[in-house]
Amino acid sequence: MLEKYNHSARILVALDCIVFGFDGEELKLLLIKRNFEPQLGKWSLMGGFLNETEDLEVAANRILYDLTGLQDVYFEELKTFGRVDRDPVERTVSVCFFALINIHAHSQDAAKAQNAFWINLKNRPEMIFDHNEMVNLALERLRYRAALHPIGFELLPEKFTIPQLQKLYEAIYDTPLDRRNFSRKILSTKLLIDTGEKNENSATKKAILYRLDQQKYQQQFNAFHYFVSDIRV
Amino acid sequence: MLEKYNHSARILVALDCIVFGFDGEELKLLLIKRNFEPQLGKWSLMGGFLNETEDLEVAANRILYDLTGLQDVYFEELKTFGRVDRDPVERTVSVCFFALINIHAHSQDAAKAQNAFWINLKNRPEMIFDHNEMVNLALERLRYRAALHPIGFELLPEKFTIPQLQKLYEAIYDTPLDRRNFSRKILSTKLLIDTGEKNENSATKKAILYRLDQQKYQQQFNAFHYFVSDIRV
DNA sequence: GTAAAATTGTGTCAAAATAACACATTTAGA
DNA sequence: TCTAAATGTGTTATTTTGACACAATTTTAC
């Protein structure tokens, strides 16, 4: 039997999860109005603790599932936060993730059970601990990633129009984009498949509904390089 | 006094550090030939445990300092590794960082004290635990970062020539680059200042020695976008 | 001395990508 | 059927990129 590392401190390992959504106009965050201690009544990210016999990645999926009822959603590690005083209750190191989900496809029941609400990113409330810092960094990372990889699609429904996609990018970068250049750029990636359908929820010209070419999406994930003039990572 | 989180497991939090260097020809790693248990005699990254009263970032700096004698070197978090069985001795979550240092500027004594050696990245040995996975991911990240931000300079001496810089990029991406296009691209960033000196260690035409414009480096860090044909992140 | 070999610095040019911009089409509703 | 709003596509000048050529510098060999 191997000897254990007797001289070092065992520390609580938490996970905190930032969930981004898009309602067609604004970027949103799924935040918890805490109905439990500590910090009851305040806003926070969804979080949890790593169990003794649980892989870190499994724990992240568990927390996402408990919040959204979704499995296999896009998420990536953001950073591990480890200031000594970040949680006043007890020393806790938190591995922070962010996820992108289709805002219409998750479980309302799961969200309700966690007392979670979609909040406009721009109007986000003060949050507990270092959660504000986490969200700021996550937005930065989202902008970085979305400029290089086609992750925007993760936030849209299965079928979507180019104008919808453009509105998403405009929300992510908080800047207007040229409609014609945007369309050309996106279509040149060949990632979009024309479904033959049109968006019927339109009072004017109905835009073409596309879906993502999943195979090309996987292949081209690392060769997307979406750039427009105002977007610098 | 606040109540503690009584129902969750406390876990060892380790840090592992990948140190990259460049000897003018090849990318190198500063690896430990373990003269201590566990896994005595095997190769590993430099690591350590997070102390109870120590910020995570402070711990990373401590470990880097113990290995290199350097402070304020470039490093960034890579990922936190948390498979249950990643360390057979005991459940340990490891926050992995990577650093870029000038291979000629660190403390030989510190390295010797840790039994650390510079190893060609391409000939790297089998390492313990998930350290191989860490290094693979770090190389990927280095390539990603170096394509977008001017971090290559962190691996060079204060004064360097454009051909040296090119050799570095060729080592990072393991691909030959066109000398003329490279020079044009780098000079167009205006990040280089001509020192007026030349590289005297040359048997042929002596190349101009440049130094980095530190002010512009800070300003343009997020607007570098170094791309050449063969380099795709 | 001078020629040869290796390396460095700079220039050219066609092709591709980008940014700015214009016009025609579709649809609901007046 | 006319209008307003939104969508789809095209044009053009400018900038960036990639492929390539030539001149200059320096040491070494003769």
Side-chain angles (χ1 to χ4, degrees):
Chain A
M1 182 60 188
L2 289 160
E3 202 178 332
K4 297 204 177 248
Y5 303 108
N6 282 322
H7 300 297
S8 299
R10 275 71 177 169
I11 295 172
L12 272 173
V13 176
L15 298 97
D16 285 301
C17 190
I18 295 163
V19 179
F20 285 105
F22 179 64
D23 67 357
E25 297 294 335
E26 302 278 353
L27 269 184
K28 303 237 170 190
L29 290 172
L30 191 51
L31 299 182
I32 307 289
K33 180 83 172 174
R34 296 172 74 90
N35 50 10
F36 52 91
E37 289 290 354
Q39 307 279 329
L40 187 144
K42 296 196 180 165
W43 289 94
S44 78
L45 298 170
M46 175 75 177
F49 291 106
L50 178 63
N51 294 325
E52 179 74 43
T53 57
E54 182 183 44
D55 288 348
L56 188 59
E57 202 177 313
V58 170
N61 275 300
R62 165 173 62 80
I63 288 163
L64 264 173
Y65 181 79
D66 288 347
L67 177 61
T68 66
L70 298 175
Q71 280 169 323
D72 302 319
V73 302
Y74 180 92
F75 76 91
E76 58 175 276
E77 192 180 318
L78 179 65
K79 201 188 135 177
T80 297
F81 288 76
R83 281 212 322 276
V84 168
D85 60 358
R86 56 173 297 283
D87 183 334
V89 178
E90 178 176 348
R91 175 74 195 273
T92 306
V93 167
S94 175
V95 183
C96 183
F97 295 83
F98 74 93
L100 307 179
I101 73 170
N102 171 358
I103 201 169
H104 301 299
H106 71 104
S107 157
Q108 307 288 332
D109 290 350
K112 182 165 276 183
Q114 303 294 338
N115 213 35
F117 302 90
W118 284 107
I119 307 289
N120 274 355
L121 182 68
K122 285 186 173 175
N123 310 342
R124 61 188 181 275
E126 200 56 32
M127 287 171 284
I128 67 165
F129 304 167
D130 46 9
H131 291 195
N132 300 298
E133 196 187 333
M134 290 174 176
V135 168
N136 294 341
L137 187 64
L139 178 58
E140 226 175 79
R141 185 73 66 84
L142 173 61
R143 287 175 170 164
Y144 194 100
R145 278 286 182 279
L148 298 163
H149 311 281
I151 58 174
F153 303 111
E154 305 285 352
L155 291 160
L156 292 175
E158 199 196 343
K159 295 175 186 173
F160 55 87
T161 69
I162 290 182
Q164 284 169 357
L165 187 61
Q166 180 177 340
K167 277 195 174 162
L168 169 59
Y169 276 86
E170 290 178 330
I172 291 174
Y173 294 102
D174 197 22
T175 188
L177 299 175
D178 183 274
R179 200 162 49 79
R180 296 151 292 189
N181 293 337
F182 182 85
S183 176
R184 177 160 40 87
K185 182 83 187 181
I186 293 296
L187 289 174
S188 76
T189 65
K190 311 275 186 192
L191 286 171
L192 267 46
I193 298 173
D194 188 333
T195 63
E197 299 168 62
K198 301 212 167 179
N199 179 15
E200 297 299 329
N201 312 323
S202 170
T204 63
K205 185 170 182 177
K206 297 177 191 340
I208 298 169
L209 281 164
Y210 292 90
R211 63 186 176 80
L212 188 59
D213 186 326
Q214 288 292 345
Q215 201 177 347
K216 284 193 182 153
Y217 176 72
Q218 303 296 337
Q219 286 167 1
Q220 296 183 29
F221 192 85
N222 289 304
F224 185 67
H225 290 294
Y226 177 86
F227 287 125
V228 289
S229 60
D230 297 323
I231 298 180
R232 296 277 100 137
V233 291
Chain B
M1 183 59 189
L2 289 159
E3 203 177 332
K4 299 207 176 242
Y5 303 108
N6 281 321
H7 300 297
S8 300
R10 275 72 179 168
I11 296 172
L12 271 172
V13 176
L15 298 96
D16 285 301
C17 190
I18 295 163
V19 179
F20 286 104
F22 179 65
D23 67 358
E25 297 293 334
E26 301 278 352
L27 269 184
K28 303 238 171 189
L29 291 172
L30 192 51
L31 299 182
I32 308 290
K33 181 83 172 174
R34 295 171 75 90
N35 51 9
F36 52 92
E37 290 288 354
Q39 308 278 330
L40 187 144
K42 295 195 180 165
W43 289 94
S44 77
L45 298 170
M46 175 74 177
F49 291 105
L50 178 63
N51 294 326
E52 179 75 41
T53 58
E54 183 183 42
D55 288 349
L56 188 60
E57 201 177 311
V58 170
N61 275 300
R62 164 172 64 80
I63 288 164
L64 264 173
Y65 180 79
D66 289 346
L67 178 61
T68 65
L70 298 175
Q71 280 168 321
D72 301 318
V73 302
Y74 179 91
F75 76 92
E76 57 175 276
E77 192 180 318
L78 179 65
K79 202 189 131 174
T80 297
F81 289 76
R83 281 211 325 273
V84 168
D85 61 357
R86 56 172 298 282
D87 182 335
V89 178
E90 177 176 348
R91 175 73 196 271
T92 306
V93 167
S94 175
V95 182
C96 183
F97 295 82
F98 74 93
L100 307 179
I101 73 170
N102 171 358
I103 200 168
H104 298 119
H106 70 104
S107 156
Q108 308 288 333
D109 290 349
K112 182 165 276 183
Q114 303 295 338
N115 212 35
F117 302 90
W118 285 107
I119 307 288
N120 273 357
L121 182 68
K122 284 186 174 177
N123 310 343
R124 61 188 180 274
E126 201 56 33
M127 287 171 283
I128 67 166
F129 304 165
D130 46 9
H131 291 195
N132 300 299
E133 196 187 333
M134 290 173 177
V135 168
N136 294 341
L137 188 63
L139 178 58
E140 227 175 79
R141 185 74 64 85
L142 173 61
R143 287 174 169 166
Y144 194 100
R145 278 284 182 280
L148 298 164
H149 311 280
I151 59 173
F153 302 111
E154 305 285 353
L155 290 160
L156 292 176
E158 199 196 344
K159 295 175 186 175
F160 54 88
T161 70
I162 290 182
Q164 284 168 357
L165 187 61
Q166 180 177 341
K167 276 196 175 162
L168 169 59
Y169 275 85
E170 290 179 328
I172 292 175
Y173 295 101
D174 195 22
T175 189
L177 299 175
D178 183 274
R179 198 163 53 76
R180 296 151 292 189
N181 294 336
F182 182 85
S183 177
R184 175 162 43 105
K185 182 86 187 178
I186 293 296
L187 289 173
S188 76
T189 66
K190 311 276 186 190
L191 285 170
L192 268 47
I193 298 172
D194 188 334
T195 63
E197 298 168 63
K198 302 212 166 182
N199 179 15
E200 297 298 330
N201 311 326
S202 171
T204 61
K205 185 170 181 177
K206 297 176 192 340
I208 298 169
L209 282 164
Y210 292 90
R211 63 184 176 82
L212 187 59
D213 186 326
Q214 288 292 344
Q215 201 177 348
K216 283 192 183 155
Y217 176 72
Q218 304 296 337
Q219 288 167 0
Q220 294 179 221
F221 192 85
N222 288 305
F224 186 67
H225 291 292
Y226 176 86
F227 287 124
V228 289
S229 60
D230 298 322
I231 298 179
R232 297 278 100 136
V233 290

